[in-house]
Amino acid sequence: MYSRSWSTPATEGSVGSHAFVAEHGLWDDARLAAAERIEAGLDGIDFVRLVWGDPHGLVRSKTLTARTFCGVLRNGMNYSPGPFLKDTACTTAVDYRGEHGIGVDEIAGLGNFVLVPDPLTFLVLPGEGARTAWVIGDEYLRDGRPHPLSSRHVLHRVLDRYAGRGLTPVLGLEVEWYLARRLDDEPGNEGNGFGLQGPAPRVAAMNAGYQFNLDAAYDTVAPVTDPLALALLGLGLPVRSMEHEMGPGQVETTFDPMSALDTADAMLFFRVFTKRWCAARGLHASFMAQPAIAGADPSGWHLNQSVLETATGRNVFSAEGLSVGLSPTSKAYAEGLRDWLRDLFLLSVPTVNGYQRLGAQHALSPTRVSLSLESRTAMLRVVGSGAGAHIENRVGEPSANPYLNIAAQLFAGIEGLDGLAGGSADGPREGSDAVPQSLREALEAFTAGRAARLLGDPLAACLARLKESEVRRYEAWALQAAPVPGQVTEWEQREYFAAF
């Protein structure tokens, strides 16, 4: 049997820009060393999935042959900015054909940006058949500057600020999600299009629920969650526990503490990998805050946070001596979280559906800006003492963009620390101590507030456009459908249940 040899002209930079990484000095020594290890081991890889998180935290990707990835690793990959400009139902919310008004000239005409793999995120995925790897990319403008619409770069900037003070944030993930049985394999494309998602997957609950941490309830999900945990451990993620929560088929997954960037990367990967793992077994996993499953209890994302002195490893949150609670430094950090809450709330609860869990009927949901020792009714729960002292922020929804949610909280915290040191330009904010009760209210607080201090003007303007488009589509639907308050709507289920 004969095969033809297809000629491929040598065109340097055809997948990005030749030597883009070296030209702009984008990697430190650790990434350079990791890239060399990847290049030495690519012979056993068939495909590499190069991914990035869009402003909503949804993963966008291109699947590259290993041969192509050899060039992409150091050249980067040309990528359309379209995902930056679309809301959660792929409606174009930022006009790329004329004056877009967000201050990023390169998006005009949908001109490419350059996506550069971060070698430290390279993972070889388990499974039979083709050997596929996964790697997260960082987004750059064509002149080598960080892309102003990149959420991962926002977190990089916040972490640089901590590093400048000799501090290292340490975070722990607690993520609630739903596991359900798929009732059919229909793709849900009827009536689908720009601005309207097709019908949500039809599912059935795994169990009756409402027996908190009942061992027998865990038995109903264990055939999926136990091997899932083992697969994640095999990939290096520090899974601590799989637990059955309150709702029917509601699972909580917790992780050991990690650095902030590792935490955000882990959350991005965990959601995608979990959905993929469950789908391959005829099941559906969703990180939607309140899915339309009969009897579903809301899901939250609790982010445990502390700050260490980089040089000594000392936890600056621990109180001195025998006192219980938090140090003055940690109290200042908590005040920053409270002060910035309304300005940045949109980054922690970014969907229409996320506000379903913030109603007064849910006793353990954080409805007010409060700080309390070991109280699960507070927004900020102070946990432990001494070296293990930390703050659990209970406000986030599990579908939030991990880079923006984490960056928002760390930014607010260091603003509080700067206030303690006399370096803050702003005094305490006045106004309601209630958390926003709708995406519309959160959007108004976001656009009227100080979010650009964290995000920069372009990303703040872009997110405002994206969320305005999303909430307007919901409000237009609600005018016709007259939804019942407190009930998850068909619109929400179509919009979020499959994608998130």
Side-chain angles (χ1 to χ4, degrees):
M1 183 175 181
Y2 296 94
S3 62
R4 176 178 174 178
S5 177
W6 298 88
S7 175
T8 304
T11 55
E12 289 188 344
S14 62
V15 293
S17 180
H18 179 60
F20 188 81
V21 171
E23 179 183 355
H24 300 290
L26 302 182
W27 288 347
D28 56 17
D29 290 343
R31 286 174 171 81
L32 288 168
E36 291 178 359
R37 292 192 298 270
I38 291 168
E39 289 166 330
L42 273 179
D43 285 347
I45 301 298
D46 298 308
F47 299 105
V48 179
R49 195 167 291 189
L50 176 58
V51 313
W52 60 287
D54 73 8
H56 310 290
L58 294 171
V59 172
R60 308 294 173 176
S61 73
K62 292 190 177 186
T63 299
L64 311 176
T65 63
R67 176 184 61 81
T68 301
F69 183 73
C70 284
V72 167
L73 182 57
R74 294 178 186 270
N75 296 342
M77 183 82 192
N78 292 329
Y79 215 109
S80 166
F84 283 129
L85 314 180
K86 296 182 179 291
D87 72 8
T88 46
C90 213
T91 298
T92 300
V94 179
D95 187 4
Y96 55 85
R97 296 164 297 182
E99 179 51 53
H100 48 72
I102 62 172
V104 185
D105 292 340
E106 288 193 12
I107 69 170
L110 290 181
N112 285 332
F113 68 90
V114 181
L115 186 64
V116 175
D118 182 344
L120 296 180
T121 68
F122 190 87
L123 293 172
V124 180
L125 302 177
E128 299 178 357
R131 292 287 285 167
T132 300
W134 152 290
V135 65
I136 298 172
D138 282 309
E139 310 97 310
Y140 291 90
L141 297 174
R142 296 190 293 273
D143 63 6
R145 288 177 296 158
H147 201 296
L149 303 183
S150 165
S151 54
R152 198 168 191 254
H153 280 303
V154 172
L155 182 55
H156 280 304
R157 291 198 302 270
V158 174
L159 294 177
D160 286 345
R161 191 170 165 187
Y162 276 86
R165 293 186 57 145
L167 299 173
T168 301
V170 176
L171 305 175
L173 288 173
E174 297 181 19
V175 188
E176 295 167 350
W177 54 282
Y178 269 88
L179 178 64
R181 291 182 287 117
R182 284 291 297 253
L183 295 179
D184 56 48
D185 292 323
E186 294 298 320
N189 60 310
E190 183 179 350
N192 197 9
F194 295 111
L196 178 64
Q197 300 297 287
R202 295 196 314 118
V203 301
M206 300 293 290
N207 52 53
Y210 292 92
Q211 288 288 345
F212 179 65
N213 284 171
L214 184 69
D215 189 60
Y218 187 77
D219 283 342
T220 67
V221 299
V224 176
T225 54
D226 282 357
L228 170 63
L230 292 176
L232 293 167
L233 288 168
L235 290 166
L237 275 74
V239 178
R240 185 177 66 180
S241 68
M242 290 280 189
E243 309 165 18
H244 196 282
E245 267 289 316
M246 189 67 74
Q250 187 182 35
V251 179
E252 181 176 55
T253 304
T254 70
F255 295 80
D256 290 337
M258 292 178 272
S259 72
L261 186 60
D262 282 350
T263 300
D265 288 343
M267 184 67 169
L268 191 79
F269 178 78
F270 169 62
R271 292 190 309 208
V272 169
F273 186 78
T274 297
K275 290 178 78 71
R276 175 187 179 188
W277 181 272
C278 295
R281 288 153 180 80
L283 303 166
H284 183 68
S286 181
F287 293 83
M288 180 179 174
Q290 176 82 61
I293 296 173
D297 200 42
S299 292
W301 170 9
H302 302 163
L303 190 64
N304 297 283
Q305 42 204 291
S306 58
V307 177
L308 308 183
E309 285 183 344
T310 305
T312 66
R314 183 181 72 88
N315 182 0
V316 300
F317 281 13
S318 60
E320 299 294 333
L322 299 177
S323 62
V324 177
L326 294 174
S327 67
T329 301
S330 59
K331 290 177 182 177
Y333 182 98
E335 282 304 311
L337 293 175
R338 296 169 67 173
D339 178 37
W340 280 85
L341 177 100
R342 290 186 65 84
D343 299 70
L344 302 178
F345 199 81
L346 183 78
L347 306 183
S348 296
V349 189
T351 72
V352 171
N353 179 257
Y355 294 83
Q356 295 279 3
R357 67 181 279 265
L358 301 178
Q361 71 272 27
H362 301 300
L364 295 180
S365 293
T367 57
R368 306 196 76 78
V369 185
S370 55
L371 171 70
S372 182
L373 180 66
E374 284 290 3
S375 173
R376 285 183 167 84
T377 64
M379 186 191 85
L380 302 176
R381 176 184 172 224
V382 179
V383 184
S385 60
H390 62 275
I391 295 173
E392 177 189 56
N393 193 326
R394 301 170 58 80
V395 79
E397 66 169 304
S399 58
N401 180 316
Y403 303 102
L404 296 182
N405 182 35
I406 290 171
Q409 296 188 39
L410 294 180
F411 174 83
I414 202 166
E415 284 287 301
L417 298 184
D418 282 351
L420 179 68
S424 176
D426 296 326
R429 296 285 279 180
E430 297 180 357
S432 173
D433 66 349
V435 303
Q437 291 297 296
S438 68
L439 183 59
R440 170 60 71 190
E441 184 182 348
L443 178 58
E444 289 172 353
F446 177 85
T447 55
R450 305 164 289 175
R453 286 261 306 273
L454 164 65
L455 302 173
D457 290 332
L459 183 53
C462 182
L463 280 171
R465 300 271 191 92
L466 299 179
K467 290 301 163 183
E468 179 66 32
S469 176
E470 182 179 342
V471 76
R472 276 188 180 179
R473 287 191 297 104
Y474 172 72
E475 289 170 347
W477 176 89
L479 282 175
Q480 302 296 321
V484 178
Q487 290 188 10
V488 179
T489 64
E490 178 194 6
W491 188 96
E492 293 167 79
Q493 191 75 351
R494 281 176 173 251
E495 189 83 3
Y496 307 118
F497 189 57
F500 289 94

